[in-house]
Amino acid sequence: MRPAASALRTGLWAAASGGTFLTPWSWLLTLPLAVTVLGGYDAAGTASERAAGVGVAFAVHALLAAAALPLALAERRLAHPGRRALVAGCAIVVLGILRPLLTAWLTATAGLPPFPAPMGPRIATNLAATTIALPIVAVAVTAVRRRAAAIAALADVAAALQAGRSGGQDLRTAAEAESRAVAERFRSALGVLLAAGRDADRATRAAALRAFAQGTARPLSHRLAAFRPPAAPGIPVDPRAPLDVRAAGGDRRRGGPTPPPPGLAVGLTILAFLPYALAHDGAVAALSGSAIALGLGLSGEIVTARLARAARARSGEVALLGATMTGAVLALVPPQFIGGPVELLPVLPSYLAVSLVAGAAAAAVGRLRRELARLEGEIARYSADVAEHGRAVHAGREAARRALHDDAQGGCLVAATLLERAAPTEAEARWAEAVAELERVARQLEASQSESESEPEPEPEPVPAARPSRPARSGLAEVLSAWSRAIELDIASDPVALARLEHEPALGALAVDVVSEALVNAVKHGARSAAIRFECEPSGNVMIRVAAPGRLARGSTDEPGTGLAALRIRAERLTLHEEDGSVVLAVRLGGAAAVGSAGSQYPNTAAAR
């Protein structure tokens, strides 16, 4: 009951403070109640007098519409919800008091028999009926309008996400075009390298490899890292355009009357009649009649709701027939509740009007709930599709960038160093190994263009121990072993730190990237030795320090999204400084959260974008 009461309070407040408490629907949907229960022609004895009484009731209802117009304009001009609710309350009081006064005046003017009751009970009855009827209509109108607005807004969201989904295809096309351009540029530069190294001496080939690393592999890896695919275009929405619920994916169920929640319509009808019944028949008769009416009406509404659900396609006809029969039973069975003959106080039209309005409001809320669930499902599906699509794009791009940065650039630097140190009899073999490695990278870049969209680029396979000419993207030990062929390494490690790097793949992958980046830069700047330290701090974090002889270039900056900038995003802390004639890269690796999301093949790279 508490959720229902809370929902009722929320709905009433939204209707009273929303600025649309008084609408043309308020006048139209309360018209049946105005010309029947609140008509004031109970004392009419002939058909002509009753017809004249209906005309007087209609005229009073029209005059009340004119009286409510300033209040309707006032609530639309006010911005504060509390003031709007105050205007709505004033409207209920003003209309509830004016109706019996205007009815008595017009009845006397027309020479009709006056209503056989004091003015006090009549005003109380009108206030009770107005207090019930106007909020019901306002809640119904607000529910329908909010449903339409919510459907329109969520339909726009779904359309935008659909466009984003299509835009995601454009995004992937742009990313593939960029990768294709990189592959073509790499293949072209490789051809130039092979031509320059043909029949050249060791020094010329080593210089060509270093130039290829700096002039081709490094810029292309930075190009892929810095690539930002275009965003999906926005969808212009015209708020003045009429809403087509079907086009927006709205509810497609058969229209027509809908049974209200059992007990709602009969309860509201009883509340509207109760003041008059108390004044006309006394408390005992009125309350006993109300109990009988509640039992009969509740039974009829339960049966109607079940039959309407079973009828499916003809549920509207069943709902209308059930409301009519229930209203007839209420009008005919408990005479003590009616307070007199049926023709004096027609219950049937009143109950029928309340039932139809309450059913319409309940149906609107139900349709809104279903539509919200449907659109939320679409949004969730589109979001999952876009996320998966983005991961596939990033995975392929990241694999290509790693191949260029680590395998091509790092491999060229290692190969150049080994070539310079090789004996004359080994020089040709070293050059062949370097060329074969670059050919493998070129094939990898070219092959990524023909792979399925849903399949990310696989990680390059580890290099066999017999070919340690490049720093393979495998375990930390293999990387250090490959680099030790090109640069003298002084390695000191804390067993606890190495154990963490071995058992935590995310930390181990980041450690490989740190060491590779540091040694690439060291060899690139001519260092022949480097000291590497792996330490575990008291806090449990792993600290990696790579120091190589040299000086830090003043004013130099790393390109955004590449090299050290990318490592800085993924690491907990990164510093690059000079210390005792060496350039020191110190990187603190945090926990899994600092490295990347669990299960992510490329930790935290989304943050760099």
Side-chain angles (χ1 to χ4, degrees):
M1 292 299 292
R2 288 184 178 180
S6 177
L8 179 60
R9 288 195 301 269
T10 302
L12 289 175
W13 173 254
S17 62
T20 56
F21 186 79
L22 297 173
T23 64
W25 291 105
S26 305
W27 187 88
L28 183 62
L29 294 178
T30 56
L31 179 60
L33 187 66
V35 299
T36 56
V37 177
L38 305 178
Y41 51 87
D42 301 55
T46 64
S48 60
E49 288 180 348
R50 285 196 295 272
V54 172
V56 167
F58 185 85
V60 169
H61 203 57
L63 291 174
L64 291 178
L69 183 59
L71 295 172
L73 295 176
E75 70 165 342
R76 282 159 177 75
R77 292 179 180 274
L78 295 174
H80 194 278
R83 295 175 182 175
R84 291 174 178 173
L86 180 61
V87 171
C90 292
I92 291 175
V93 174
V94 170
L95 297 179
I97 294 175
L98 281 181
R99 184 183 299 276
L101 296 177
L102 290 175
T103 300
W105 174 62
L106 289 180
T107 298
T109 302
L112 297 175
F115 188 82
M119 184 57 68
R122 293 179 61 185
I123 291 178
T125 300
N126 277 266
L127 284 173
T130 306
T131 302
I132 294 171
L134 285 182
I136 290 177
V137 175
V139 168
V141 171
T142 301
V144 172
R145 289 187 174 181
R146 289 198 170 188
R147 168 183 174 268
I151 290 175
L154 286 178
D156 291 340
V157 172
L161 286 176
Q162 179 65 49
R165 196 178 186 184
S166 301
Q169 300 294 339
D170 297 338
L171 178 150
R172 185 171 185 86
T173 300
E176 289 178 347
E178 181 72 5
S179 298
R180 188 179 301 109
V182 167
E184 292 173 354
R185 174 72 180 86
F186 187 88
R187 174 62 73 178
S188 175
L190 180 57
V192 174
L193 172 66
L194 295 179
R198 187 178 296 115
D199 300 328
D201 55 22
R202 286 185 300 169
T204 301
R205 287 177 170 177
L209 287 173
R210 293 184 186 277
F212 186 86
Q214 289 299 103
T216 298
R218 183 175 184 272
L220 290 181
S221 69
H222 289 184
R223 176 176 173 176
L224 285 179
F227 175 67
R228 299 294 183 270
I235 301 299
V237 178
D238 183 2
R240 297 168 298 179
L243 172 67
D244 184 350
V245 175
R246 293 173 296 177
D251 193 283
R252 294 178 173 84
R253 299 192 177 193
R254 181 181 176 89
T258 302
L264 178 60
V266 65
L268 294 175
T269 303
I270 290 174
L271 289 176
F273 278 91
L274 191 57
Y276 174 79
L278 288 172
H280 190 273
D281 299 323
V284 176
L287 294 178
S288 61
S290 298
I292 295 174
L294 180 61
L296 293 173
L298 181 60
S299 300
E301 290 174 1
I302 292 175
V303 172
T304 299
R306 292 184 176 178
L307 292 177
R309 282 196 297 268
R312 295 182 178 274
R314 305 185 66 86
S315 60
E317 291 86 340
V318 172
L320 182 59
L321 179 61
T324 303
M325 295 181 65
T326 302
V329 170
L330 292 178
L332 294 174
V333 174
Q336 66 271 33
F337 172 67
I338 298 173
V342 176
E343 65 268 22
L344 296 182
L345 200 56
V347 178
L348 175 59
S350 303
Y351 173 80
L352 191 58
V354 172
S355 178
L356 294 178
V357 173
V365 173
R367 287 192 296 269
L368 174 58
R369 186 182 299 111
R370 291 190 295 271
E371 187 63 11
L372 286 174
R374 188 189 68 80
L375 288 173
E376 286 173 354
E378 287 189 8
I379 290 172
R381 287 192 296 273
Y382 291 154
S383 299
D385 180 82
V386 170
E388 181 63 26
H389 192 83
R391 284 192 295 269
V393 169
H394 173 66
R397 188 184 66 192
E398 181 67 8
R401 186 198 67 79
R402 287 171 181 260
L404 287 167
H405 182 273
D406 299 338
D407 302 339
Q409 181 184 357
C412 281
L413 294 175
V414 171
T417 302
L418 295 178
L419 188 61
E420 292 170 340
R421 300 175 183 176
T425 57
E426 299 178 352
E428 193 65 31
R430 295 299 184 194
W431 170 255
E433 287 180 2
V435 170
E437 177 60 19
L438 293 177
E439 286 283 358
R440 186 196 67 80
V441 173
R443 289 193 300 271
Q444 177 181 337
L445 295 176
E446 293 165 348
S448 65
Q449 306 305 314
S450 59
E451 292 182 352
S452 171
E453 287 188 357
S454 61
E455 295 294 331
E457 177 71 25
E459 287 286 314
E461 297 179 358
V463 177
R467 289 178 53 211
S469 62
R470 66 185 179 92
R473 288 203 55 77
S474 52
L476 183 60
E478 289 81 357
V479 170
L480 294 173
S481 175
W483 277 107
S484 65
R485 301 293 299 275
I487 184 172
E488 181 182 349
L489 299 180
D490 175 16
I491 303 173
S493 58
D494 181 347
V496 178
L498 290 184
R500 282 203 64 190
L501 297 179
E502 180 180 354
H503 292 95
E504 298 184 32
L507 284 178
L510 182 52
V512 169
D513 289 345
V514 169
V515 171
S516 297
E517 179 67 23
L519 295 180
V520 163
N521 288 321
V523 173
K524 181 174 65 177
H525 293 292
R528 302 181 65 86
S529 63
I532 304 176
R533 301 290 183 265
F534 299 93
E535 301 173 353
C536 188
E537 297 179 331
S539 62
N541 294 328
V542 175
M543 173 66 77
I544 301 177
R545 287 172 51 91
V546 182
R551 296 184 64 83
L552 191 62
R554 301 302 177 186
S556 63
T557 58
D558 194 61
E559 296 184 31
T562 64
L564 298 180
L567 290 178
R568 185 174 288 110
I569 293 174
R570 298 167 59 194
E572 183 172 305
R573 182 184 177 188
L574 182 149
T575 60
L576 182 66
H577 61 279
E578 289 185 24
E579 183 178 311
D580 298 331
S582 296
V583 177
V584 179
L585 175 65
V587 181
R588 175 183 291 131
L589 312 184
V595 179
S597 302
S600 174
Q601 189 177 6
Y602 305 104
N604 266 7
T605 48
R609 298 178 311 203

